[in-house]
């Protein structure tokens, strides 16, 4: 459930599930949908390309539907992709799709689910949003 304040700010534009002005020059808009089906293939929701594409527990390596998103990020190096995954093995495979720098960015998420998820088919620790990695990581500007 969204707080009333968020519902009001999202209601002026049906494309956004959530839209909030954080400061005078910073707005966050959350657009939900399936890439290529309900979302514009260029992620343009009226304000140009996004600054960040984020997917939680994405499983990029496991689902072919993510190929177009990975291609989009390769073609648009100024758009950052942030992803989480359940286990380190899957995270390494998924992060490798973004190249060596992305694979090196893989680390345990300090905000992961605190309890390991029971998985009986393999003996690897699994956490919801347990590991994160970044495609097209940008340099810090001091």
């Amino acid at each position: 459930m969204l707080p009333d304040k968020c519902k009001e700010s999202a209601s002026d534009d049906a494309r956004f599930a959530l839209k909030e002005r954080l400061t005078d020059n910073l707005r966050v808009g959350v657009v939900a949908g399936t890439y290529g089906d309900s979302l514009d293939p260029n992620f343009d929701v009226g304000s140009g390309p996004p600054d960040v594409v984020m997917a939680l527990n994405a499983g990029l390596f496991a689902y072919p539907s993510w190929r177009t998103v990975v291609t989009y990020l390769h073609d648009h190096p100024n758009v950052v992709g942030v992803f989480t995954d359940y286990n380190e093995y899957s995270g390494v495979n998924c992060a490798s799709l973004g190249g060596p720098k992305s694979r090196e960015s893989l680390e345990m998420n300090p905000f992961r689910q605190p309890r390991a998820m029971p998985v009986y088919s393999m003996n690897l620790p699994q956490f919801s949003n347990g590991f994160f990695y970044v495609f097209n990581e940008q340099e810090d500007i001091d």
Side-chain angles (χ1 to χ4, degrees), residues 12-135:
D12 63 342
D13 191 338
R15 295 173 292 190
F16 292 97
L18 171 68
K19 186 176 177 183
E20 189 64 38
R21 180 180 295 274
L22 300 178
T23 65
D24 288 339
N25 63 350
L26 178 62
R27 290 177 297 168
V28 173
V30 176
V31 180
T34 304
Y35 180 81
D37 291 341
S38 58
L39 294 178
D40 181 302
N42 290 314
F43 290 106
D44 189 351
V45 291
S47 59
D51 296 314
V52 177
V53 172
M54 179 179 274
L56 307 176
N57 293 325
L60 299 183
F61 208 71
Y63 302 101
S65 58
W66 283 110
R67 287 185 188 138
T68 50
V69 176
V70 171
T71 301
Y72 176 85
L73 291 171
H74 280 290
D75 294 344
H76 298 85
N78 57 329
V79 177
V80 177
V82 179
F83 302 95
T84 67
D85 220 310
Y86 283 102
N87 66 56
E88 189 172 17
Y89 178 76
S90 178
V92 166
N93 286 315
C94 294
S96 67
L97 296 172
K101 189 172 181 182
S102 178
R103 193 173 66 172
E104 291 170 13
S105 75
L106 179 72
E107 60 184 66
M108 186 167 264
N109 184 357
F111 303 105
R112 70 189 178 278
Q113 176 183 333
R115 264 183 78 217
M117 299 169 50
V119 177
Y120 304 107
S121 61
M122 64 178 133
N123 194 19
L124 293 172
Q126 300 243 83
F127 299 92
S128 183
N129 297 307
F131 298 86
F132 74 91
Y133 47 95
V134 179
F135 282 30

